[in-house]
Amino acid sequence: MSNIGIIILATNAYFVLGVRFIKRFMHYYKGDKQITFYFFSDTDPKPYLLDNIDVEYHYEQHDSWVDATNSKFKDIISLSNCKSDYLFYFDADTNISKPFTEEWFLGDLVGGEHYGNRDWLKDGAGFDRNSASKAYVPLDSTLPYTYHYGAFFGGKKDKVIKFCTTLREWQIEDKKIPYEPGCNDESYINTYFHFNPPYTVPCDKFMFDISDKGGLGETRYTNLDISKHKSILLENKDILFNIQNNEIII
């Protein structure tokens, strides 16, 4: 039986969202694959989860949201020797509300069509046009344009590690200029996928809810107080929960 590794980056206030994702993933998952969660955070999630959930904790800390979002490639590369056959990254604030199997996202190298691709991001509107950057895509590119999420990608482990290694190298080179693409890691993801097209999950076939923070507050603020939420989760580790209007709903 193959193992699917699910990567969650959940430092600071995103910790609560990352725990929500794991619990709701396992509640609604109806497939038959072994699932391992790789949880990068400044807080160990294991005390907040039932023991039958396979979680591998990796300590990580960030002083800003930009540091956090830009660390995902480095963190994923560190999993090159992990036990999983597939690796998939999901943003911690992804939510799940209906049963699913892995069939909708499994593939060699997979990206997700951004819902803006059919509106304000269509025809290459979201791509980086700084010719000095590794994220650069020329205006006269003859390749088809599809704008992908930075919130989701994955595939077979070797292909994902190769993908992230390339993008990490691009980040390092751009910092020498210095330059930070307008959409951070998402800009590099879209450049790579533009020239190396993945299997793309259409936005209307994407089964999870992207960027659902449940009114938790300004989660990009690293000092956002989530102590109340964490206390509730510790006392209810065996119960499925959601977040609405900044409140834990059990």
Side-chain angles (χ1 to χ4, degrees):
M1 181 184 298
S2 59
N3 179 289
I4 298 175
I6 305 296
I7 301 158
I8 303 295
L9 182 60
T11 54
N12 305 315
Y14 283 89
F15 172 78
V16 173
L17 296 166
V19 172
R20 179 188 68 176
F21 178 83
I22 289 177
K23 297 187 77 167
R24 296 180 74 82
F25 188 105
M26 293 308 297
H27 177 79
Y28 286 109
Y29 179 61
K30 305 303 178 184
D32 60 1
K33 301 293 189 292
Q34 295 177 343
I35 305 295
T36 299
F37 294 95
Y38 300 98
F39 198 88
F40 292 84
S41 180
D42 48 354
T43 303
D44 188 345
K46 292 179 183 178
Y48 298 81
L49 299 166
L50 294 176
D51 294 338
N52 62 351
I53 297 177
D54 185 9
V55 181
E56 187 175 295
Y57 172 53
H58 296 258
Y59 179 77
E60 179 66 281
Q61 64 177 12
H62 301 111
D63 295 326
S64 71
W65 178 85
V66 173
D67 287 344
T69 195
N70 281 340
S71 75
K72 66 179 65 168
F73 305 138
K74 169 182 68 69
D75 290 337
I76 294 170
I77 292 167
S78 73
L79 300 176
S80 59
N81 293 320
C82 73
K83 64 184 178 182
S84 296
D85 304 293
Y86 293 86
L87 291 173
F88 287 90
Y89 170 86
F90 290 92
D91 271 359
D93 57 7
T94 304
N95 203 352
I96 304 171
S97 56
K98 56 188 175 184
F100 71 96
T101 72
E102 70 287 340
E103 293 179 0
W104 72 269
F105 64 78
L106 208 62
D108 287 355
L109 185 63
V110 184
E113 180 195 11
H114 196 292
Y115 57 86
N117 183 61
R118 305 185 186 190
D119 191 0
W120 74 94
L121 292 172
K122 67 182 180 181
D123 300 326
F127 285 76
D128 197 287
R129 304 302 185 182
N130 180 358
S131 60
S133 171
K134 293 294 185 180
Y136 174 61
V137 176
L139 281 167
D140 60 356
S141 174
T142 59
L143 297 173
Y145 278 114
T146 299
Y147 195 86
H148 291 83
Y149 288 122
F152 161 80
F153 56 82
K156 290 184 177 177
K157 180 173 69 175
D158 59 338
K159 293 185 180 296
V160 173
I161 297 300
K162 177 183 177 182
F163 165 73
C164 289
T165 298
T166 298
L167 271 55
R168 180 59 179 158
E169 291 171 352
W170 289 355
Q171 283 181 321
I172 292 171
E173 287 301 308
D174 273 3
K175 288 192 179 301
K176 296 176 182 178
I177 301 177
Y179 179 68
E180 178 69 31
C183 293
N184 314 103
D185 58 290
E186 190 171 85
S187 294
Y188 295 112
I189 290 168
N190 275 285
T191 300
Y192 189 98
F193 284 167
H194 183 70
F195 295 108
N196 304 274
Y199 167 69
T200 300
V201 180
C203 59
D204 54 354
K205 302 295 184 182
F206 201 90
M207 294 194 66
F208 298 168
D209 302 319
I210 293 292
S211 195
D212 178 4
K213 298 176 177 61
L216 192 60
E218 184 44 75
T219 50
R220 294 189 181 190
Y221 177 51
T222 57
N223 293 320
L224 183 66
D225 185 8
I226 56 168
S227 56
K228 178 185 71 172
H229 303 78
K230 291 170 75 173
S231 294
I232 295 172
L233 297 189
L234 272 177
E235 296 169 1
N236 297 277
K237 62 185 297 182
D238 59 334
I239 297 177
L240 186 70
F241 76 94
N242 209 340
I243 306 172
Q244 295 178 10
N245 301 317
N246 197 22
E247 297 293 334
I248 299 292
I249 305 299
I250 294 175

